[in-house]
Amino acid sequence: MQDKMDSIFQIGTFCFRIVGLSDISIPENFLIFKMLDTNRPEYTYSIRIKEIHDHMDGQLIAKRPDLSVYKTESGECRLIGMYGTEEYYALYREQQKNQAEIILSPDYIAALQYDTVFTSLFALERHMILRDSLILHCAYMVYKGKAILFSAPSETGKSTQADLWERYRGSHTINGDRALLRKEKEIWTACGWPVCGSSEICEIGDTPIYAIVMLKQGKNNYVELLPVFQAFTQIYAQVTINQWNKEFIQQAISCIENLIKQVPVYQLTCNISEEAVECLEKVLFPGI
């Protein structure tokens, strides 16, 4: 009989249990969210290894190259794939209110070492939005005890700007690619997330959000406070949202509207230099 894996994790305020075979490899970035067995999970994921069939019961409600989503009587069901491949590597199926099963193709067990592949198994964004939490594509750094989030499309320089602050101002980067944003007692807080992209920087850390900075590449450095509509539009584009779920879209809109009322959103047009740091610092911390 094979050994069983039975572990408890907590990301933000979501505490959950993963049960499966011990030969399933959990990425290091995910393991840092592992909790003591005394924590009380509110949700259980059961993983088993089996061949996956494309035929699904239920209504197809969304489809893209790496994902097919179905609505079933027991909840949501997902066939999960990877860009560049035609087959699915996992099936996620909600069984009841506090439980889901995950069927993993035996051909893709080794791929679970990658944090993106492993984390995609659990549809975590579904649970986060119900807790007034957003997953933002950003580099999350802490400076003077405050969270500053650099957000932009991929390859725009999020982690590069965070690196500049670390080099010239001694800041500390918690995650180079994503952060969980959650509202706690009416204060928006940035938290760690188990996916960090190519930055390889992934830590746990909850810090009040001081500013969100949308990046734009340019030869010269300047900062502007974004009007509400532009701030909303740019943040919405960088948040993970299930576009097939109208309730979740509305909840995300409500969260973003609340976020930008409490947290200033700037646009930094910048190059890769200490001058870019100085330019933003003068706006965020005048008089220092």
Side-chain angles (χ1 to χ4, degrees), residues 25-63:
S25 177
I26 300 178
E28 291 184 9
N29 291 342
F30 207 96
L31 281 173
I32 65 175
F33 295 88
K34 186 174 180 179
M35 306 300 291
L36 298 174
D37 291 342
T38 53
N39 287 66
R40 302 181 66 178
E42 56 192 293
Y43 204 87
T44 298
Y45 297 95
S46 300
I47 303 179
R48 57 193 178 103
I49 300 171
K50 184 181 176 182
E51 294 293 342
I52 297 171
H53 302 287
D54 292 356
H55 176 72
M56 297 297 303
D57 294 327
Q59 177 189 0
L60 180 66
I61 56 175
K63 187 173 179 61

mmCIF file of all heavy atoms in Angstrom, residues 25-63:
data_model
loop_
_atom_site.group_PDB
_atom_site.id
_atom_site.type_symbol
_atom_site.label_atom_id
_atom_site.label_comp_id
_atom_site.label_asym_id
_atom_site.label_seq_id
_atom_site.Cartn_x
_atom_site.Cartn_y
_atom_site.Cartn_z
ATOM 1 N N SER A 25 4.602 15.385 -5.955
ATOM 2 C CA SER A 25 5.574 16.373 -5.505
ATOM 3 C C SER A 25 4.929 17.749 -5.368
ATOM 4 O O SER A 25 4.296 18.246 -6.306
ATOM 5 C CB SER A 25 6.736 16.439 -6.500
ATOM 6 O OG SER A 25 7.659 17.419 -6.142
ATOM 7 N N ILE A 26 5.092 18.364 -4.197
ATOM 8 C CA ILE A 26 4.571 19.706 -3.958
ATOM 9 C C ILE A 26 5.714 20.710 -4.117
ATOM 10 O O ILE A 26 6.758 20.565 -3.480
ATOM 11 C CB ILE A 26 3.960 19.821 -2.550
ATOM 12 C CG1 ILE A 26 2.810 18.824 -2.401
ATOM 13 C CG2 ILE A 26 3.473 21.248 -2.289
ATOM 14 C CD1 ILE A 26 2.170 18.832 -1.029
ATOM 15 N N PRO A 27 5.569 21.732 -4.957
ATOM 16 C CA PRO A 27 6.645 22.711 -5.165
ATOM 17 C C PRO A 27 7.010 23.441 -3.870
ATOM 18 O O PRO A 27 6.168 23.637 -2.983
ATOM 19 C CB PRO A 27 6.042 23.683 -6.189
ATOM 20 C CG PRO A 27 4.907 22.952 -6.812
ATOM 21 C CD PRO A 27 4.379 22.022 -5.777
ATOM 22 N N GLU A 28 8.271 23.838 -3.771
ATOM 23 C CA GLU A 28 8.746 24.546 -2.579
ATOM 24 C C GLU A 28 7.937 25.803 -2.306
ATOM 25 O O GLU A 28 7.662 26.137 -1.148
ATOM 26 C CB GLU A 28 10.229 24.900 -2.734
ATOM 27 C CG GLU A 28 11.162 23.699 -2.709
ATOM 28 C CD GLU A 28 12.620 24.110 -2.769
ATOM 29 O OE1 GLU A 28 12.898 25.318 -2.659
ATOM 30 O OE2 GLU A 28 13.469 23.216 -2.944
ATOM 31 N N ASN A 29 7.555 26.522 -3.370
ATOM 32 C CA ASN A 29 6.805 27.767 -3.181
ATOM 33 C C ASN A 29 5.440 27.514 -2.542
ATOM 34 O O ASN A 29 4.909 28.373 -1.850
ATOM 35 C CB ASN A 29 6.605 28.484 -4.517
ATOM 36 C CG ASN A 29 7.901 29.034 -5.069
ATOM 37 O OD1 ASN A 29 8.878 29.183 -4.340
ATOM 38 N ND2 ASN A 29 7.926 29.331 -6.351
ATOM 39 N N PHE A 30 4.872 26.351 -2.796
ATOM 40 C CA PHE A 30 3.583 26.002 -2.195
ATOM 41 C C PHE A 30 3.775 25.513 -0.764
ATOM 42 O O PHE A 30 2.954 25.784 0.112
ATOM 43 C CB PHE A 30 2.889 24.926 -3.031
ATOM 44 C CG PHE A 30 1.390 24.930 -2.941
ATOM 45 C CD1 PHE A 30 0.619 25.579 -3.885
ATOM 46 C CD2 PHE A 30 0.748 24.290 -1.890
ATOM 47 C CE1 PHE A 30 -0.770 25.585 -3.803
ATOM 48 C CE2 PHE A 30 -0.640 24.274 -1.787
ATOM 49 C CZ PHE A 30 -1.401 24.936 -2.751
ATOM 50 N N LEU A 31 4.859 24.813 -0.523
ATOM 51 C CA LEU A 31 5.108 24.236 0.802
ATOM 52 C C LEU A 31 5.276 25.289 1.892
ATOM 53 O O LEU A 31 5.035 25.010 3.066
ATOM 54 C CB LEU A 31 6.345 23.335 0.765
ATOM 55 C CG LEU A 31 6.146 21.940 0.172
ATOM 56 C CD1 LEU A 31 7.486 21.229 0.053
ATOM 57 C CD2 LEU A 31 5.178 21.122 1.027
ATOM 58 N N ILE A 32 5.675 26.499 1.520
ATOM 59 C CA ILE A 32 5.862 27.521 2.557
ATOM 60 C C ILE A 32 4.523 27.948 3.170
ATOM 61 O O ILE A 32 4.501 28.591 4.228
ATOM 62 C CB ILE A 32 6.622 28.765 2.036
ATOM 63 C CG1 ILE A 32 5.811 29.504 0.976
ATOM 64 C CG2 ILE A 32 7.986 28.378 1.506
ATOM 65 C CD1 ILE A 32 6.467 30.799 0.513
ATOM 66 N N PHE A 33 3.418 27.567 2.534
ATOM 67 C CA PHE A 33 2.089 27.874 3.064
ATOM 68 C C PHE A 33 1.514 26.712 3.873
ATOM 69 O O PHE A 33 0.351 26.754 4.279
ATOM 70 C CB PHE A 33 1.140 28.252 1.922
ATOM 71 C CG PHE A 33 1.520 29.520 1.218
ATOM 72 C CD1 PHE A 33 2.412 29.492 0.151
ATOM 73 C CD2 PHE A 33 1.023 30.743 1.634
ATOM 74 C CE1 PHE A 33 2.789 30.667 -0.494
ATOM 75 C CE2 PHE A 33 1.387 31.917 1.000
ATOM 76 C CZ PHE A 33 2.277 31.882 -0.074
ATOM 77 N N LYS A 34 2.331 25.697 4.114
ATOM 78 C CA LYS A 34 1.877 24.545 4.885
ATOM 79 C C LYS A 34 1.727 24.931 6.348
ATOM 80 O O LYS A 34 2.554 25.652 6.911
ATOM 81 C CB LYS A 34 2.872 23.390 4.751
ATOM 82 C CG LYS A 34 2.411 22.092 5.390
ATOM 83 C CD LYS A 34 3.391 20.959 5.092
ATOM 84 C CE LYS A 34 2.928 19.659 5.741
ATOM 85 N NZ LYS A 34 3.850 18.529 5.442
ATOM 86 N N MET A 35 0.662 24.439 6.977
ATOM 87 C CA MET A 35 0.346 24.783 8.355
ATOM 88 C C MET A 35 0.445 23.555 9.252
ATOM 89 O O MET A 35 0.580 22.418 8.786
ATOM 90 C CB MET A 35 -1.077 25.365 8.437
ATOM 91 C CG MET A 35 -1.327 26.528 7.499
ATOM 92 S SD MET A 35 -0.242 27.942 7.790
ATOM 93 C CE MET A 35 -0.875 28.504 9.369
ATOM 94 N N LEU A 36 0.353 23.790 10.535
ATOM 95 C CA LEU A 36 0.345 22.698 11.496
ATOM 96 C C LEU A 36 -0.955 21.914 11.395
ATOM 97 O O LEU A 36 -1.994 22.442 10.977
ATOM 98 C CB LEU A 36 0.514 23.248 12.915
ATOM 99 C CG LEU A 36 1.816 23.999 13.214
ATOM 100 C CD1 LEU A 36 1.762 24.594 14.610
ATOM 101 C CD2 LEU A 36 3.017 23.075 13.073
ATOM 102 N N ASP A 37 -0.909 20.672 11.787
ATOM 103 C CA ASP A 37 -2.100 19.826 11.719
ATOM 104 C C ASP A 37 -3.216 20.303 12.643
ATOM 105 O O ASP A 37 -4.360 19.861 12.536
ATOM 106 C CB ASP A 37 -1.750 18.372 12.066
ATOM 107 C CG ASP A 37 -0.888 17.731 10.984
ATOM 108 O OD1 ASP A 37 -0.874 18.272 9.867
ATOM 109 O OD2 ASP A 37 -0.233 16.718 11.273
ATOM 110 N N THR A 38 -2.876 21.196 13.572
ATOM 111 C CA THR A 38 -3.893 21.704 14.499
ATOM 112 C C THR A 38 -4.812 22.726 13.838
ATOM 113 O O THR A 38 -5.869 23.043 14.385
ATOM 114 C CB THR A 38 -3.217 22.342 15.733
ATOM 115 O OG1 THR A 38 -2.270 23.318 15.290
ATOM 116 C CG2 THR A 38 -2.492 21.283 16.552
ATOM 117 N N ASN A 39 -4.395 23.274 12.701
ATOM 118 C CA ASN A 39 -5.273 24.199 11.978
ATOM 119 C C ASN A 39 -6.499 23.449 11.459
ATOM 120 O O ASN A 39 -6.414 22.281 11.093
ATOM 121 C CB ASN A 39 -4.519 24.832 10.812
ATOM 122 C CG ASN A 39 -3.513 25.865 11.266
ATOM 123 O OD1 ASN A 39 -2.534 25.516 11.927
ATOM 124 N ND2 ASN A 39 -3.730 27.113 10.933
ATOM 125 N N ARG A 40 -7.622 24.124 11.427
ATOM 126 C CA ARG A 40 -8.879 23.474 11.040
ATOM 127 C C ARG A 40 -9.249 23.871 9.608
ATOM 128 O O ARG A 40 -9.737 24.982 9.367
ATOM 129 C CB ARG A 40 -9.985 23.859 12.017
ATOM 130 C CG ARG A 40 -9.654 23.499 13.458
ATOM 131 C CD ARG A 40 -10.760 23.873 14.416
ATOM 132 N NE ARG A 40 -11.964 23.087 14.166
ATOM 133 C CZ ARG A 40 -13.068 23.202 14.905
ATOM 134 N NH1 ARG A 40 -13.114 24.062 15.915
ATOM 135 N NH2 ARG A 40 -14.120 22.463 14.635
ATOM 136 N N PRO A 41 -9.028 22.980 8.650
ATOM 137 C CA PRO A 41 -9.330 23.302 7.251
ATOM 138 C C PRO A 41 -10.829 23.387 7.007
ATOM 139 O O PRO A 41 -11.618 22.679 7.613
ATOM 140 C CB PRO A 41 -8.716 22.124 6.482
ATOM 141 C CG PRO A 41 -8.735 20.999 7.463
ATOM 142 C CD PRO A 41 -8.489 21.617 8.809
ATOM 143 N N GLU A 42 -11.193 24.270 6.106
ATOM 144 C CA GLU A 42 -12.608 24.432 5.746
ATOM 145 C C GLU A 42 -12.924 23.789 4.398
ATOM 146 O O GLU A 42 -14.092 23.770 3.982
ATOM 147 C CB GLU A 42 -12.966 25.918 5.699
ATOM 148 C CG GLU A 42 -12.072 26.721 4.757
ATOM 149 C CD GLU A 42 -12.239 28.216 4.938
ATOM 150 O OE1 GLU A 42 -13.334 28.713 4.614
ATOM 151 O OE2 GLU A 42 -11.289 28.868 5.407
ATOM 152 N N TYR A 43 -11.898 23.270 3.728
ATOM 153 C CA TYR A 43 -12.099 22.689 2.404
ATOM 154 C C TYR A 43 -11.089 21.561 2.221
ATOM 155 O O TYR A 43 -9.968 21.627 2.738
ATOM 156 C CB TYR A 43 -11.888 23.748 1.319
ATOM 157 C CG TYR A 43 -12.585 23.464 0.007
ATOM 158 C CD1 TYR A 43 -13.890 23.863 -0.210
ATOM 159 C CD2 TYR A 43 -11.911 22.801 -1.022
ATOM 160 C CE1 TYR A 43 -14.533 23.607 -1.410
ATOM 161 C CE2 TYR A 43 -12.544 22.541 -2.234
ATOM 162 C CZ TYR A 43 -13.860 22.946 -2.423
ATOM 163 O OH TYR A 43 -14.494 22.685 -3.603
ATOM 164 N N THR A 44 -11.488 20.520 1.483
ATOM 165 C CA THR A 44 -10.602 19.383 1.244
ATOM 166 C C THR A 44 -10.503 19.080 -0.251
ATOM 167 O O THR A 44 -11.527 19.006 -0.948
ATOM 168 C CB THR A 44 -11.111 18.118 1.972
ATOM 169 O OG1 THR A 44 -11.114 18.360 3.384
ATOM 170 C CG2 THR A 44 -10.209 16.928 1.676
ATOM 171 N N TYR A 45 -9.267 18.942 -0.723
ATOM 172 C CA TYR A 45 -9.000 18.498 -2.084
ATOM 173 C C TYR A 45 -8.437 17.080 -2.019
ATOM 174 O O TYR A 45 -7.462 16.821 -1.310
ATOM 175 C CB TYR A 45 -7.957 19.386 -2.761
ATOM 176 C CG TYR A 45 -8.352 20.835 -2.948
ATOM 177 C CD1 TYR A 45 -7.983 21.802 -2.025
ATOM 178 C CD2 TYR A 45 -9.058 21.242 -4.077
ATOM 179 C CE1 TYR A 45 -8.307 23.133 -2.211
ATOM 180 C CE2 TYR A 45 -9.393 22.579 -4.270
ATOM 181 C CZ TYR A 45 -9.011 23.516 -3.322
ATOM 182 O OH TYR A 45 -9.341 24.830 -3.522
ATOM 183 N N SER A 46 -9.035 16.172 -2.753
ATOM 184 C CA SER A 46 -8.545 14.796 -2.825
ATOM 185 C C SER A 46 -7.940 14.565 -4.207
ATOM 186 O O SER A 46 -8.618 14.768 -5.226
ATOM 187 C CB SER A 46 -9.677 13.799 -2.582
ATOM 188 O OG SER A 46 -10.242 14.005 -1.303
ATOM 189 N N ILE A 47 -6.669 14.160 -4.242
ATOM 190 C CA ILE A 47 -5.976 13.943 -5.516
ATOM 191 C C ILE A 47 -5.775 12.455 -5.754
ATOM 192 O O ILE A 47 -5.325 11.724 -4.874
ATOM 193 C CB ILE A 47 -4.602 14.648 -5.521
ATOM 194 C CG1 ILE A 47 -4.756 16.147 -5.248
ATOM 195 C CG2 ILE A 47 -3.915 14.444 -6.866
ATOM 196 C CD1 ILE A 47 -3.437 16.896 -5.207
ATOM 197 N N ARG A 48 -6.129 12.029 -6.949
ATOM 198 C CA ARG A 48 -5.806 10.657 -7.335
ATOM 199 C C ARG A 48 -5.285 10.640 -8.767
ATOM 200 O O ARG A 48 -5.548 11.572 -9.552
ATOM 201 C CB ARG A 48 -7.009 9.732 -7.176
ATOM 202 C CG ARG A 48 -8.258 10.105 -7.913
ATOM 203 C CD ARG A 48 -9.435 9.291 -7.398
ATOM 204 N NE ARG A 48 -10.679 9.647 -8.044
ATOM 205 C CZ ARG A 48 -11.272 8.929 -8.999
ATOM 206 N NH1 ARG A 48 -10.680 7.814 -9.426
ATOM 207 N NH2 ARG A 48 -12.419 9.292 -9.525
ATOM 208 N N ILE A 49 -4.544 9.605 -9.097
ATOM 209 C CA ILE A 49 -3.893 9.492 -10.399
ATOM 210 C C ILE A 49 -4.670 8.513 -11.276
ATOM 211 O O ILE A 49 -4.939 7.375 -10.878
ATOM 212 C CB ILE A 49 -2.432 9.035 -10.230
ATOM 213 C CG1 ILE A 49 -1.660 10.056 -9.387
ATOM 214 C CG2 ILE A 49 -1.764 8.866 -11.593
ATOM 215 C CD1 ILE A 49 -0.284 9.608 -8.986
ATOM 216 N N LYS A 50 -5.037 9.018 -12.459
ATOM 217 C CA LYS A 50 -5.864 8.205 -13.352
ATOM 218 C C LYS A 50 -5.853 8.845 -14.735
ATOM 219 O O LYS A 50 -5.650 10.048 -14.867
ATOM 220 C CB LYS A 50 -7.302 8.145 -12.793
ATOM 221 C CG LYS A 50 -8.258 7.260 -13.555
ATOM 222 C CD LYS A 50 -9.648 7.333 -12.902
ATOM 223 C CE LYS A 50 -10.662 6.527 -13.707
ATOM 224 N NZ LYS A 50 -12.027 6.631 -13.119
ATOM 225 N N GLU A 51 -6.071 8.054 -15.751
ATOM 226 C CA GLU A 51 -6.188 8.599 -17.097
ATOM 227 C C GLU A 51 -7.397 9.527 -17.188
ATOM 228 O O GLU A 51 -8.437 9.270 -16.587
ATOM 229 C CB GLU A 51 -6.333 7.469 -18.126
ATOM 230 C CG GLU A 51 -5.099 6.578 -18.260
ATOM 231 C CD GLU A 51 -3.901 7.303 -18.849
ATOM 232 O OE1 GLU A 51 -4.096 8.372 -19.471
ATOM 233 O OE2 GLU A 51 -2.773 6.809 -18.673
ATOM 234 N N ILE A 52 -7.246 10.615 -17.946
ATOM 235 C CA ILE A 52 -8.303 11.619 -18.055
ATOM 236 C C ILE A 52 -8.998 11.504 -19.405
ATOM 237 O O ILE A 52 -8.344 11.406 -20.445
ATOM 238 C CB ILE A 52 -7.720 13.035 -17.876
ATOM 239 C CG1 ILE A 52 -7.140 13.178 -16.468
ATOM 240 C CG2 ILE A 52 -8.773 14.107 -18.128
ATOM 241 C CD1 ILE A 52 -6.370 14.434 -16.258
ATOM 242 N N HIS A 53 -10.315 11.534 -19.379
ATOM 243 C CA HIS A 53 -11.114 11.482 -20.604
ATOM 244 C C HIS A 53 -11.726 12.857 -20.865
ATOM 245 O O HIS A 53 -12.150 13.559 -19.940
ATOM 246 C CB HIS A 53 -12.205 10.426 -20.476
ATOM 247 C CG HIS A 53 -11.666 9.048 -20.195
ATOM 248 N ND1 HIS A 53 -11.023 8.298 -21.147
ATOM 249 C CD2 HIS A 53 -11.659 8.306 -19.059
ATOM 250 C CE1 HIS A 53 -10.652 7.141 -20.637
ATOM 251 N NE2 HIS A 53 -11.029 7.120 -19.359
ATOM 252 N N ASP A 54 -11.774 13.228 -22.129
ATOM 253 C CA ASP A 54 -12.271 14.554 -22.501
ATOM 254 C C ASP A 54 -13.778 14.694 -22.347
ATOM 255 O O ASP A 54 -14.288 15.798 -22.155
ATOM 256 C CB ASP A 54 -11.886 14.877 -23.947
ATOM 257 C CG ASP A 54 -10.381 15.072 -24.103
ATOM 258 O OD1 ASP A 54 -9.678 15.031 -23.080
ATOM 259 O OD2 ASP A 54 -9.931 15.244 -25.249
ATOM 260 N N HIS A 55 -14.501 13.595 -22.431
ATOM 261 C CA HIS A 55 -15.963 13.688 -22.368
ATOM 262 C C HIS A 55 -16.409 14.030 -20.948
ATOM 263 O O HIS A 55 -16.031 13.381 -19.977
ATOM 264 C CB HIS A 55 -16.610 12.375 -22.793
ATOM 265 C CG HIS A 55 -18.094 12.388 -22.654
ATOM 266 N ND1 HIS A 55 -18.917 13.118 -23.500
ATOM 267 C CD2 HIS A 55 -18.913 11.793 -21.744
ATOM 268 C CE1 HIS A 55 -20.164 12.959 -23.123
ATOM 269 N NE2 HIS A 55 -20.210 12.163 -22.072
ATOM 270 N N MET A 56 -17.209 15.091 -20.829
ATOM 271 C CA MET A 56 -17.659 15.538 -19.514
ATOM 272 C C MET A 56 -19.170 15.727 -19.520
ATOM 273 O O MET A 56 -19.748 16.173 -20.510
ATOM 274 C CB MET A 56 -16.997 16.873 -19.147
ATOM 275 C CG MET A 56 -15.479 16.796 -19.022
ATOM 276 S SD MET A 56 -14.947 15.702 -17.700
ATOM 277 C CE MET A 56 -15.788 16.441 -16.313
ATOM 278 N N ASP A 57 -19.788 15.396 -18.394
ATOM 279 C CA ASP A 57 -21.198 15.716 -18.204
ATOM 280 C C ASP A 57 -21.299 17.177 -17.769
ATOM 281 O O ASP A 57 -20.400 17.712 -17.143
ATOM 282 C CB ASP A 57 -21.809 14.816 -17.131
ATOM 283 C CG ASP A 57 -21.838 13.359 -17.576
ATOM 284 O OD1 ASP A 57 -22.009 13.116 -18.778
ATOM 285 O OD2 ASP A 57 -21.684 12.475 -16.708
ATOM 286 N N GLY A 58 -22.393 17.805 -18.088
ATOM 287 C CA GLY A 58 -22.583 19.193 -17.682
ATOM 288 C C GLY A 58 -22.538 20.145 -18.862
ATOM 289 O O GLY A 58 -22.320 19.751 -20.013
ATOM 290 N N GLN A 59 -22.737 21.415 -18.566
ATOM 291 C CA GLN A 59 -22.798 22.458 -19.599
ATOM 292 C C GLN A 59 -21.438 23.134 -19.743
ATOM 293 O O GLN A 59 -20.865 23.630 -18.769
ATOM 294 C CB GLN A 59 -23.853 23.499 -19.210
ATOM 295 C CG GLN A 59 -23.943 24.673 -20.168
ATOM 296 C CD GLN A 59 -24.839 25.776 -19.639
ATOM 297 O OE1 GLN A 59 -25.405 25.671 -18.556
ATOM 298 N NE2 GLN A 59 -24.961 26.849 -20.405
ATOM 299 N N LEU A 60 -20.911 23.155 -20.959
ATOM 300 C CA LEU A 60 -19.656 23.857 -21.219
ATOM 301 C C LEU A 60 -19.910 25.359 -21.144
ATOM 302 O O LEU A 60 -20.723 25.896 -21.895
ATOM 303 C CB LEU A 60 -19.120 23.476 -22.599
ATOM 304 C CG LEU A 60 -17.798 24.140 -23.020
ATOM 305 C CD1 LEU A 60 -16.653 23.683 -22.128
ATOM 306 C CD2 LEU A 60 -17.491 23.832 -24.493
ATOM 307 N N ILE A 61 -19.218 26.034 -20.221
ATOM 308 C CA ILE A 61 -19.459 27.471 -20.033
ATOM 309 C C ILE A 61 -18.248 28.337 -20.393
ATOM 310 O O ILE A 61 -18.367 29.558 -20.495
ATOM 311 C CB ILE A 61 -19.900 27.777 -18.584
ATOM 312 C CG1 ILE A 61 -18.874 27.256 -17.566
ATOM 313 C CG2 ILE A 61 -21.278 27.203 -18.318
ATOM 314 C CD1 ILE A 61 -19.200 27.625 -16.126
ATOM 315 N N ALA A 62 -17.093 27.712 -20.591
ATOM 316 C CA ALA A 62 -15.919 28.479 -20.989
ATOM 317 C C ALA A 62 -14.894 27.537 -21.607
ATOM 318 O O ALA A 62 -14.758 26.390 -21.185
ATOM 319 C CB ALA A 62 -15.303 29.197 -19.785
ATOM 320 N N LYS A 63 -14.184 28.052 -22.601
ATOM 321 C CA LYS A 63 -13.157 27.241 -23.240
ATOM 322 C C LYS A 63 -12.048 28.134 -23.774
ATOM 323 O O LYS A 63 -12.310 29.164 -24.391
ATOM 324 C CB LYS A 63 -13.742 26.405 -24.386
ATOM 325 C CG LYS A 63 -12.745 25.407 -24.981
ATOM 326 C CD LYS A 63 -13.434 24.497 -25.977
ATOM 327 C CE LYS A 63 -12.451 23.496 -26.598
ATOM 328 N NZ LYS A 63 -11.834 22.610 -25.578
#
